[in-house]
């Protein structure tokens, strides 16, 4: 490729990236500020990659299918892929919910969402919205979700109590939240199930059931969101201790 052609290609790519970036932002006003909530009393893992493992391996274990069946995801639903990363679940959820449904791909890293927007365009997926979030607030519209999934990312949420509290208004009545993680310390990119239960219960979520996924997929813990009338004041939320397994 000659220099002028190379420069033109770069300019075209840059313009396309800018166009995607313009369309990606917050979908809702700010929720409750982070400083209203306690900080987690355990390590928070660093965000290191938009991808957990090769998609072929995840497909071989039927990761997306297991989650969909357990959460009873169906065509026509609106599902939030929280911490969407490179969009492994966004792409599969888009096909599952169909043209009458939608997927809201949410992430705190704008570059991940820009790349995911390019991917969904190439795949001609027209039912995906993109939502930029903050470490303490997913910034999602009220009563917009029939279900939300948080897959191998809960341990990376810097302000879990604030994040969970601000996520709750986006969940419709009867919605379910599915959290997938490994039984590992948070510093090693997992969340011990006892710690997960403690943190979600502290915000008012109620555990429905926990399932073991195939292979090394970890567990899937299913919760229902707190009832509106029973929501705690942020300052009444007590942080869970740091058990040995969370270090």
């Amino acid at each position: 490729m000659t220099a002028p052609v190379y420069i033109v290609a770069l300019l075209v790519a840059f313009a396309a990236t800018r166009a995607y970036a313009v369309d990606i932002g917050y979908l809702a006003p700010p929720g409750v500020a982070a400083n209203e909530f306690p900080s987690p009393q355990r390590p928070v893992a660093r965000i290191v990659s938009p991808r957990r493992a090769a998609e072929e391996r995840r497909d071989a274990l039927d990761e997306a299918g297991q989650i969909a069946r357990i959460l009873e995801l169906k065509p026509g639903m609106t599902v939030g892929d929280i911490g969407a990363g490179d969009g492994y679940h966004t792409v599969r959820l888009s096909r599952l919910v169909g043209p009458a449904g939608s997927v809201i791909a949410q992430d705190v890293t704008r570059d991940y969402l820009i790349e995911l927007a390019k991917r969904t365009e190439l795949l001609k997926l027209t039912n995906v919205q993109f939502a930029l979030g903050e470490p303490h607030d997913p910034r999602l519209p009220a009563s917009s979700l029939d279900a939300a999934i948080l897959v191998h990312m809960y341990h990376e949420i810097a302000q879990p109590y604030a994040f969970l509290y601000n996520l709750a208004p986006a969940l419709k009545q009867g919605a379910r939240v599915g959290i997938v993680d490994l039984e590992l310390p948070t510093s090693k990119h997992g969340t011990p199930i006892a710690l997960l239960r403690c943190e979600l219960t502290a915000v008012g979520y109620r555990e429905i059931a926990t399932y073991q996924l195939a292979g090394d997929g970890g567990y899937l813990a299913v919760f229902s969101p707190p009832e509106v009338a029973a929501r705690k004041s942020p300052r009444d939320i007590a942080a869970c201790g740091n058990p040995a397994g969370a270090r």
Side-chain angles (χ1 to χ4, degrees), residues 101-122:
S102 64
V103 180
I104 300 180
Q106 187 274 348
D107 209 290
V108 298
T109 304
R110 182 188 289 271
D111 287 348
Y112 293 173
L113 294 177
I114 291 171
E115 291 305 312
L116 180 51
K118 295 176 185 177
R119 181 181 185 183
T120 57
E121 183 176 63
L122 286 172

Side-chain angles (χ1 to χ4, degrees), residues 17 20 32 41 84 99 121 125 132 156 203 205-207 214 242:
T17 298
Y20 284 114
V32 181
Q41 302 302 301
E121 183 176 63
L125 303 177
L132 185 64
E156 296 174 349
V203 185
Y205 287 75
R206 298 176 303 283
E207 185 180 9
N242 183 20

Side-chain angles (χ1 to χ4, degrees), residues 1-11:
M1 185 182 293
T2 63
V5 174
Y6 176 71
I7 291 171
V8 170
L10 281 178
L11 290 173

Side-chain angles (χ1 to χ4, degrees), residues 17-119:
T17 298
R18 281 180 60 85
Y20 284 114
V22 167
D23 293 334
I24 293 171
Y26 304 121
L27 296 187
V32 181
N35 61 10
E36 296 290 323
F37 298 86
S39 297
Q41 302 302 301
R42 42 81 173 175
V44 174
R46 185 167 57 91
I47 299 173
V48 293
S49 171
R51 174 181 300 179
R52 175 178 179 260
E55 296 199 0
E56 295 78 10
R57 173 166 175 72
R58 298 173 82 174
D59 284 344
L61 294 172
D62 192 29
E63 180 180 309
Q66 291 180 83
I67 294 171
R69 287 190 294 274
I70 290 169
L71 292 178
E72 299 181 354
L73 304 181
K74 297 179 175 62
M77 284 185 166
T78 297
V79 181
D81 185 5
I82 311 299
D86 70 344
Y88 173 80
H89 283 285
T90 294
V91 167
R92 287 152 182 80
L93 287 169
S94 171
R95 293 164 176 156
L96 187 156
V97 301
S102 64
V103 180
I104 300 180
Q106 187 274 348
D107 209 290
V108 298
T109 304
R110 182 188 289 271
D111 287 348
Y112 293 173
L113 294 177
I114 291 171
E115 291 305 312
L116 180 51
K118 295 176 185 177
R119 181 181 185 183

